[in-house]
Amino acid sequence: MPTRIDYYMVPQSPFVYLGHQRLMQIASKAGAQVRLLPFDLGKVFTVSGGLPLGQRAPQRRAYRLLELRRFSEALGLPMHIEPAFFPVAGDDAARLLIAVDAADGTEAALRLARAVTRAVWEEQRNIADVATLGELLAAENLPASRIEESKSAQVQQTYDANTQQAIDTGIFGAPSFVIDGELFWGQDRLDFVERKLPGSR
């Protein structure tokens, strides 16, 4: 049975954007299975002591921008470190990923997750806008009906369950990865994720 990576993510996170494709490459190389778990970071912050970006100290906000620029350049990923639509609510996009995962499979949902994060950080698009989400679905050859399905009680229940699971697991930020009960926080910990997988260096 392949090793499973529980991938806790929020689609508006710059660090999810920076780490997403590298995670996919690491998982593919190791033959690992990725379980996509979009969650509500705001609810997690209320129990973990995290602060929304606007409430953080100025020096922390300044250093965050410095790190985004550093990682963007080091990873060769184009990025607007202060995009036009950020902060932006990610709940609708997160629920859409859940709906696609349920109907079209995790691989399709992971491809859409990449498109959604690129929309924020490369393309400066508003992922809280239903028209933008529809365009992203179309670009991935996914049915427009997934938007309506994402509003269902079942999808909301999954979103809530993912969030509670994140809290119970000790998640406090995104992206976070869990392998065999071991937590790795941040795209800058993907080297350790890779080492944890069978057949790693």
Side-chain angles (χ1 to χ4, degrees), residues 20 32 48 50 60 73 98 100-101 121 124-125 143 151 172 177 179 183:
H20 185 83
S48 68
R60 287 182 177 269
E73 293 173 356
I98 291 168
V100 168
D101 197 348
W121 297 102
Q124 301 198 87
R125 297 164 72 185
K151 301 174 185 177
F172 54 89
F177 318 97
I179 305 171
L183 171 62

Side-chain angles (χ1 to χ4, degrees), residues 3-10 15-37 75 77 106 110 113-114 174-179 184 186-197:
T3 301
R4 190 181 78 191
I5 304 170
D6 285 347
Y7 176 26
Y8 291 90
M9 59 84 74
V10 295
F15 300 104
V16 169
Y17 164 71
L18 290 169
H20 185 83
Q21 280 305 99
R22 188 171 173 214
L23 173 66
M24 297 302 100
Q25 292 162 1
I26 289 169
S28 177
K29 180 181 175 183
Q33 178 187 56
V34 177
R35 184 165 71 133
L36 183 64
L37 295 163
L75 297 169
L77 288 172
T106 300
L110 288 168
R114 171 61 176 154
S176 291
F177 318 97
V178 178
I179 305 171
F184 305 82
Q187 61 86 25
D188 52 343
R189 298 300 185 269
L190 282 168
D191 283 349
F192 291 108
V193 169
E194 187 171 19
R195 289 186 178 96
K196 179 72 174 179
L197 296 171

